Amino acid sequence: MCTSTWDQRQQAWPHEATSEESSAVAPEFPLLHNWSSYLYLKDVDSYWVPELKLTIHDKYLLCFGSWLTGRHINAALGLLQTKFPQYDGFQPVIKGGRFKRINKDTDAIQIHFVDNHWLTTHRMHLSGQLGVYGVLLYDSCYRGYISPDLQTQVHDIYGTDEIYPVSVYQQLGNNDCGLMAIAYALHAGAGQLIS
């Protein structure tokens, strides 16, 4: 099941806390070194990787296996765009923002955030050779349906409502969807079929 603990959802972006979650008390800073020590960060907003706009806080979320945030995904999208300039897409994930329509004649890859879950879509013109026309969906926690929010995002980006889920490896941990979405985008960019 694709769920996360309160602490992970509070640190993940985007997420609005429910009233039940809001009543809990969160630590001021993530823990350092190990879970049994109570060392706290002083400069969590200082940049860890300035070029990618990743902070020290982002680093420690990675170190302790927390859910990837929008900053992590946007950094990965920027790196993927540099590695695979032949693809369109790779638009930053912006809270409440809409995606821009891309040229219908280009191959494209995009990571989405839908229902507190990261997933990847991929349009490639060669997919017609496989009998598939439309947008391929790589979802590490596919539940048998495509949400209206994803349908809207796909329509905004690709200009189509045809989405074809691809059978892919499913995530084992509750926090793995971001890493899986990045891995699917990397494989798609490299031209490898994902199944």
Side-chain angles (χ1 to χ4, degrees):
M1 192 170 182
C2 301
T3 59
S4 61
T5 65
W6 181 86
D7 287 332
Q8 293 158 344
R9 285 184 287 169
Q10 284 301 105
Q11 295 168 352
W13 170 93
H15 173 74
E16 298 295 327
T18 65
S19 58
E20 181 182 336
E21 293 170 339
S22 298
S23 63
V25 177
E28 289 183 12
F29 301 104
L31 299 175
L32 290 172
H33 190 58
N34 63 48
W35 292 111
S36 63
S37 67
Y38 288 96
L39 300 173
Y40 293 98
L41 293 173
K42 294 181 181 177
D43 298 319
V44 292
D45 292 327
S46 298
Y47 281 114
W48 166 45
V49 184
E51 302 82 17
L52 299 176
K53 298 181 182 175
L54 292 173
T55 65
I56 299 294
H57 180 74
D58 297 323
K59 176 182 179 180
Y60 286 98
L61 291 176
L62 288 175
C63 290
F64 293 113
S66 295
W67 184 324
L68 296 187
T69 68
R71 285 190 305 270
H72 293 117
I73 297 297
N74 288 340
L77 286 167
L79 292 171
L80 288 166
Q81 186 174 35
T82 301
K83 177 127 178 98
F84 305 112
Q86 70 273 26
Y87 287 96
D88 206 345
F90 300 121
Q91 297 180 51
V93 180
I94 302 169
K95 184 177 182 179
R98 295 189 66 140
F99 292 104
K100 296 177 185 173
R101 177 74 50 92
I102 58 173
N103 185 331
K104 66 178 184 166
D105 296 323
T106 60
D107 294 347
I109 301 168
Q110 184 62 51
I111 296 177
H112 305 263
F113 188 78
V114 178
D115 299 329
N116 283 336
H117 178 60
W118 298 108
L119 47 89
T120 304
T121 57
H122 176 209
R123 180 184 67 195
M124 61 181 192
H125 285 43
L126 297 178
S127 63
Q129 295 175 356
L130 302 173
V132 177
Y133 300 91
V135 176
L136 303 177
L137 169 63
Y138 308 121
D139 185 348
S140 65
C141 194
Y142 184 64
R143 295 183 180 117
Y145 69 93
I146 297 170
S147 75
D149 189 23
L150 179 60
Q151 290 173 345
T152 300
Q153 289 182 28
V154 166
H155 185 77
D156 287 349
I157 296 170
Y158 303 108
T160 184
D161 295 323
E162 297 179 38
I163 306 170
Y164 298 95
V166 176
S167 178
V168 293
Y169 290 109
Q170 298 295 287
Q171 65 189 65
L172 298 177
N174 291 336
N175 304 334
D176 298 341
C177 60
L179 289 175
M180 299 292 281
I182 293 168
Y184 298 147
L186 180 64
H187 279 276
Q192 300 172 349
L193 290 177
I194 304 167
S195 61

